[in-house]
């Protein structure tokens, strides 16, 4: 019966996905069908309902709607232009400087807003036209913006790292994950800049004008309070002043004050901003509900233990196992949204890597980076479609210029996988 349940679960899930059913519904329906194979109808439906409800009954998850709202306020609050101008004053004078500006601004905005979609939309809508005016092809600009926007999912505050902390069952704390994300996120950004530099030299893209130190200082002052949010939120969590959820609430208040101070948000706009963030939160929470029900089913059917035993018995080389897990997550990321992927595959793979001596925090960063790459690839790459849409070009035109940047991300993924200090040095330094 155990084998039949597993087959039914995965066949129904992938079958529904292939038929075009939304991910959350695919997860919920396949989970319900599998439970009904083992339990009578009424108790089975009750069990699914209970697991969906208790799955989001978590204080830590309250951080998500707050961070979503803070990101929406930042998106509307004039932060993007200030960050772009600051980034341009720092690196815009280098050969191919606007490519570095695009990357750096996307990293900063993604980190502050906690949303790759917001970063791709806000930075892409401004930078694509600016770069085209200076001779950069739109597909190149879009490809760079798409990949750079994902760095905000590694650099805290990041909603997906909070979701992983929940899925790990307490094996990895939010504070440790937040600190661990800094170096890998920065490393991805640097790798993208290196690729952009090579392409810029080859194609002889224009350099920007040199700016005076006074201009750099002026742009820094304008962006200062936006950048300060990172230190307030993450510093408060690490120092134990407040939890991730309390930090998220503070982020909302901070973003609101900043928006009013910049004159970019009015009381009249607030209902629209709150409604937009509520819609995003509803989608994310429904995904978490159904994914948590499926995660419980995995435990009920002992799937994590079966997977651990199978991999350890079949493949004796730990390096090969890590490569297989990375490859699986890369494939998963191409067709599944990040939140359900984290909730579904963490209980399956975490016991395997822990049994091989990998730290849960280290694996969390590896998993998120894998899925970040998936966000940039077809057929379901959310950021790919957002970035192409903002740049007003077809997805097919972005694919070719996207490849070298994806290659850089995969290279960093391999470094982080096999050199754990990249992810764990900072958490250990802070005693987390």
């Amino acid at each position: 019966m155990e084998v039949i349940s597993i087959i039914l679960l995965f066949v129904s899930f992938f079958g529904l996905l292939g038929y075009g059913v939304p991910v959350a519904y695919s997860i919920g329906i396949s989970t319900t069908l599998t439970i009904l194979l083992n339990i009578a109808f009424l108790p089975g439906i009750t069990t699914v309902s209970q697991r969906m409800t208790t799955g989001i009954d978590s204080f830590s998850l309250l951080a998500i709607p707050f961070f979503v709202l803070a990101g929406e306020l930042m998106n509307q609050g004039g932060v993007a232009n200030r960050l772009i101008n600051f980034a341009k004053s720092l690196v815009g004078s280098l050969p191919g400087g606007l490519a570095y500006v695009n990357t750096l601004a996307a990293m900063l905005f993604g980190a502050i807003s906690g949303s790759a979609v917001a970063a791709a939309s806000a930075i892409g809508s401004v930078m694509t036209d600016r770069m085209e005016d200076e001779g950069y092809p739109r597909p190149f600009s879009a490809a760079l913006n798409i990949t750079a926007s994902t760095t905000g999912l590694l650099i805290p505050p990041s909603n997906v790292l909070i979701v992983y902390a929940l899925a790990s069952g307490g094996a990895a704390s939010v504070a440790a994950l937040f600190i661990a994300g800094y170096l890998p996120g920065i490393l991805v950004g640097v790798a993208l800049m290196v690729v952009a530099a090579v392409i810029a030299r080859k194609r002889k893209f224009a350099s920007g004008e040199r700016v005076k130190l006074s201009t750099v200082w002026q742009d820094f002052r304008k962006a200062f309070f936006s950048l300060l949010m990172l230190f307030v939120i993450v510093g408060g969590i690490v120092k134990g002043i407040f939890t991730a959820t309390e930090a998220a609430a503070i982020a909302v208040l901070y973003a609101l004050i900043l928006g009013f101070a910049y004159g970019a948000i009015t009381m009249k706009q607030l209902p629209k901003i709150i409604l937009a963030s509520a819609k995003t939160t509803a989608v994310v929470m429904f995904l978490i509900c159904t994914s948590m029900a499926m995660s419980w089913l995995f435990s009920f059917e002992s799937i994590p233990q079966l997977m651990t035993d199978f991999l350890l018995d079949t493949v004796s080389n730990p390096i090969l196992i890590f490569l297989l897990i990375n490859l699986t997550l890369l494939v998963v990321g191409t067709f599944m949204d990040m939140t359900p992927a984290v909730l579904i595959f963490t209980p399956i793979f975490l016991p395997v890597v822990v049994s091989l001596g990998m730290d849960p925090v280290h694996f969390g960063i590896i998993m998120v980076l894998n899925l970040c790459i998936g966000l940039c690839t077809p057929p379901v790459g959310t950021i790919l479609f957002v970035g192409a849409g903002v740049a007003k070009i077809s997805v097919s035109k972005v694919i070719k210029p996207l490849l070298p940047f994806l290659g850089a991300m995969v290279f960093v993924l391999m470094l982080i996988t096999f050199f754990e200090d990249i992810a764990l040095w900072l958490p250990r330094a802070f005693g987390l």
Side-chain angles (χ1 to χ4, degrees):
M1 184 63 74
E2 203 172 64
V3 175
I4 296 172
S5 297
I6 294 170
I7 292 172
L8 175 63
L9 177 65
F10 287 104
V11 169
S12 59
F13 174 60
F14 289 114
L16 288 165
L17 275 183
Y19 195 68
V21 177
V23 175
Y25 289 101
S26 298
I27 294 169
I29 293 169
S30 59
T31 301
T32 304
L33 288 174
T34 307
I35 287 178
L36 292 178
L37 185 67
N38 299 282
I39 306 174
F41 181 78
L42 189 56
I45 295 296
T46 303
T47 300
V48 174
S49 302
Q50 285 177 337
R51 294 300 163 182
M52 288 177 66
T53 305
T54 56
I56 58 169
D57 185 15
S58 166
F59 180 70
S60 297
L61 282 181
L62 273 176
I64 291 178
F66 283 122
F67 276 132
V68 169
L69 178 55
E72 195 69 35
L73 289 166
M74 283 282 184
N75 200 16
Q76 299 289 329
V79 172
N81 273 321
R82 292 169 184 267
L83 293 177
I84 288 171
N85 290 335
F86 176 53
K88 189 174 182 180
S89 67
L90 286 177
V91 295
S93 61
L94 300 171
L98 282 188
Y100 313 139
V101 173
N102 193 328
T103 306
L104 187 58
M107 289 171 67
L108 291 172
F109 190 84
I112 291 169
S113 68
S115 169
V117 172
S121 177
I123 303 301
S125 60
V126 177
M127 285 303 301
T128 306
D129 289 336
R130 285 194 189 183
M131 292 177 75
E132 186 179 38
D133 290 343
E134 296 197 22
Y136 294 79
R138 291 184 83 86
F140 169 82
S141 304
L144 181 58
N145 178 53
I146 288 163
T147 47
S149 297
T150 62
T151 55
L153 298 174
L154 286 166
I155 302 172
S158 167
N159 288 338
V160 73
L161 291 177
I162 295 170
V163 172
Y164 173 80
L166 174 72
S168 72
S173 70
V174 173
L177 287 164
F178 273 14
I179 293 298
Y182 272 112
L183 284 182
I186 292 169
L187 192 57
V188 171
V190 170
L192 295 175
M193 287 184 187
V194 169
V195 172
V198 172
I199 295 172
R201 285 185 178 277
K202 187 177 178 181
R203 299 190 186 180
K204 298 180 180 178
F205 290 147
S207 302
E209 295 180 3
R210 289 189 176 275
V211 295
K212 298 178 182 178
L213 281 176
S214 58
T215 306
V216 176
W217 173 246
Q218 187 178 2
D219 289 334
F220 171 72
R221 284 175 56 195
K222 289 179 180 177
F224 174 75
F225 288 106
S226 301
L227 297 170
L228 184 63
M229 181 180 175
L230 282 174
F231 296 95
V232 171
I233 300 306
V234 180
I237 294 171
V238 172
K239 290 293 184 182
I241 300 170
F242 37 70
T243 65
T245 303
E246 292 163 346
I250 291 168
V252 171
L253 182 62
Y254 190 101
L256 192 61
I257 293 170
L258 211 59
F260 282 129
Y262 288 165
I265 295 176
T266 63
M267 289 298 294
K268 198 173 182 179
Q269 291 175 295
L270 273 182
K272 186 179 177 182
I273 293 171
I274 292 170
L275 181 61
S277 64
K279 287 178 178 178
T280 303
T281 301
V283 172
V284 173
M285 286 302 185
F286 185 51
L287 278 167
I288 293 174
C289 279
T290 54
S291 299
M292 291 302 288
M294 183 177 273
S295 295
W296 175 84
L297 180 61
F298 285 163
S299 299
F300 182 76
E301 296 289 350
S302 302
I303 292 175
Q305 187 59 47
L306 289 171
M307 181 63 75
T308 302
D309 293 342
F310 172 76
L311 280 173
L312 294 179
D313 292 342
T314 308
V315 185
S316 58
N317 191 331
I319 293 175
L320 208 55
I321 292 176
F322 293 149
L323 288 173
L324 282 171
I325 291 173
N326 272 322
L327 183 61
T328 303
L329 290 173
L330 283 171
V331 173
V332 165
T334 63
F335 65 84
M336 188 181 291
D337 192 57
M338 186 172 271
T339 299
V342 168
L343 288 167
I344 291 169
F345 288 94
T346 298
I348 293 176
F349 290 132
L350 186 59
V352 178
V353 297
V354 168
S355 69
L356 294 171
M358 182 178 281
D359 189 283
V361 172
H362 182 201
F363 180 65
I365 301 302
I366 291 170
M367 172 173 266
V368 170
L369 180 50
N370 266 294
L371 299 173
C372 282
I373 296 169
L375 290 176
C376 305
T377 56
V380 189
T382 310
I383 309 303
L384 173 63
F385 290 102
V386 170
V390 167
K392 297 175 184 176
I393 57 174
S394 66
V395 171
S396 59
K397 290 183 179 179
V398 182
I399 299 299
K400 188 176 179 180
L402 194 64
L403 293 177
F405 296 113
L406 291 177
M409 294 180 77
V410 171
F411 174 73
V412 173
L413 173 63
M414 291 298 103
L415 286 179
I416 293 169
T417 300
F418 297 109
F419 297 94
E420 66 171 22
D421 285 344
I422 296 173
L424 297 182
W425 178 68
L426 279 178
R428 286 169 177 167
F430 282 95
L432 296 171

